[in-house]
Amino acid sequence: MPNRPDPTAPARSGERTIHALPAGLAQLPWELPRVFLGLDGAPATPEGAATWILPVPYEATTSWGAGTRLGPRAVIDASRYIELFDHELDRDPSREGVYTFPALELARGDAARAMAELEDAFTKVLDAAAGRRVIMLGGEHSVSAPAILAHARRLPERLSVLQLDAHLDLRPSLDGSPFSHASAMGRVIDRIDLVTVGARGISGEEWAIAERRDNVTVITGEEVARGGDWIDRALEALGDPVYITFDVDFFDPALMPSTGTPEPGGGDWHTAMALLRRVFAERRVVGADVVEHAPIPGLSAPDFTVARLVYKMIGYWSGAGASR
């Protein structure tokens, strides 16, 4: 595979540098590092990378299928074997470097404390990033709220959130918890403008909330399926800057079965890319996450799909400055 070193050569390009090994052992034929894309050397260091990946394998409130805690590791493992050259972009986005943090472990058994820990941690990561791109890998969707709030608090402008999701996640609480994955957008809705694309599993309560709020735009899965100018409508509703939260159940279960609450009638790959390509080109994206991937043992295609999704986001994001 292209992001594996030739076993007969010392490196992909130049000398390989595996960090944290005893002196004199770095050039032995070790496996690819267990980091996003398997990068090593300067492009995989915090200082040398333009993109930082933050894995947050938190899972506490899933309401049907479980396993999202295993999502970040599965995505990272799959990413080590995807093609690094992007023919659509005619370049290799990995050359700008990608650093992968160790997984962030949050408090167990206390959702309020866990979310407070994550917001504090995310704020510190953004401070350290100094303008670098940060993409969070969840875990369940509840982790998006602290990341969104951390961005909203540091921005002088009002933040817009683009949510690709089968659900609105606007419930005030679920099963007695306001920190449920089904309440992720409900916890931030007073601080942001929300554009949700692909929703098709919607409670009456959430629909009523969305209809009475001027700062919520919903483009349902049925609208996406009909085609037309829905991407233009999404862009018109999005302000600037934008945070993107991508729940993988946006995709149809035929493409993405590995999620806890799949809904029929979801989006396809090219539809999602068409939207993301325009958002990164026409808006200032300040942060992103990909959540709710629950790997299925023996079924690797969804792991690769999510890894490729993250890499496409890196590619579109890294070229955004030249597009505007």
Side-chain angles (χ1 to χ4, degrees):
M1 290 294 176
N3 59 340
R4 293 187 62 84
D6 181 341
T8 65
R12 291 185 290 279
S13 59
E15 291 297 308
R16 295 189 78 201
T17 302
I18 305 295
H19 296 280
L21 286 172
L25 300 183
Q27 300 305 321
L28 294 181
W30 307 108
E31 69 169 353
L32 283 173
R34 302 188 79 89
V35 297
F36 195 75
L37 302 178
L39 300 182
D40 55 31
T45 63
E47 301 81 11
T51 300
W52 286 1
I53 300 290
L54 177 63
V56 185
Y58 177 78
E59 181 177 52
T61 71
T62 49
S63 51
W64 179 241
T68 60
R69 69 189 183 282
L70 305 175
R73 170 56 68 92
V75 172
I76 288 169
D77 283 350
S79 75
R80 302 187 306 159
Y81 301 93
I82 63 176
E83 296 278 359
L84 296 180
F85 176 76
D86 187 317
H87 65 277
E88 178 193 2
L89 302 175
D90 195 27
R91 57 187 172 85
D92 175 353
S94 75
R95 293 184 179 275
E96 292 192 4
V98 180
Y99 171 70
T100 307
F101 283 93
L104 196 61
E105 293 189 356
L106 304 177
R108 300 180 183 180
D110 186 339
R113 179 183 169 192
M115 295 299 98
E117 284 182 348
L118 178 54
E119 186 173 346
D120 178 66
F122 206 93
T123 298
K124 291 175 180 175
V125 167
L126 290 178
D127 288 342
R132 292 178 176 86
R133 301 180 286 268
V134 178
I135 300 177
M136 179 172 61
L137 299 181
E140 65 174 55
H141 209 171
S142 62
V143 301
S144 299
I148 290 168
L149 290 173
H151 277 284
R153 289 196 172 105
R154 67 193 293 115
L155 289 167
E157 313 97 329
R158 186 170 174 87
L159 180 66
S160 283
V161 172
L162 173 64
Q163 175 191 13
L164 291 90
D165 200 328
H167 310 92
L168 296 184
D169 294 342
L170 283 173
R171 298 174 189 264
S173 67
L174 184 66
D175 296 330
S177 174
F179 301 101
S180 168
H181 69 111
S183 303
M185 296 303 106
R187 289 174 49 218
V188 302
I189 195 59
D190 290 332
R191 299 293 304 275
I192 57 99
D193 295 325
L194 177 64
V195 178
T196 301
V197 174
R200 54 202 186 274
I202 304 169
S203 72
E205 179 184 29
E206 291 175 297
W207 190 251
I209 291 171
E211 284 197 317
R212 69 172 177 258
R213 278 188 170 269
D214 294 334
N215 64 327
V216 176
T217 300
V218 178
I219 299 172
T220 65
E222 290 78 9
E223 291 178 77
V224 172
R226 286 195 297 268
D229 61 356
W230 67 267
I231 293 182
D232 290 333
R233 191 159 77 86
L235 266 293
E236 289 170 4
L238 281 174
D240 216 358
V242 172
Y243 181 97
I244 299 174
T245 179
F246 199 121
D247 184 327
V248 299
D249 68 19
F250 164 85
F251 290 122
D252 191 85
L255 175 63
M256 184 54 57
S258 58
T259 188
T261 49
E263 291 282 350
D268 62 25
W269 176 262
H270 293 295
T271 295
M273 294 308 106
L275 174 60
L276 291 176
R277 185 165 53 245
R278 285 196 55 187
V279 171
F280 278 105
E282 299 177 32
R283 294 293 184 271
R284 178 167 61 96
V285 177
V286 295
D289 65 58
V290 178
V291 297
E292 293 286 348
H293 175 46
I296 299 173
L299 186 63
S300 60
D303 304 343
F304 281 83
T305 297
V306 182
R308 174 60 69 182
L309 167 64
V310 175
Y311 194 43
K312 291 296 287 188
M313 292 173 79
I314 291 172
Y316 292 147
W317 205 348
S318 64
S323 302
R324 284 195 299 270

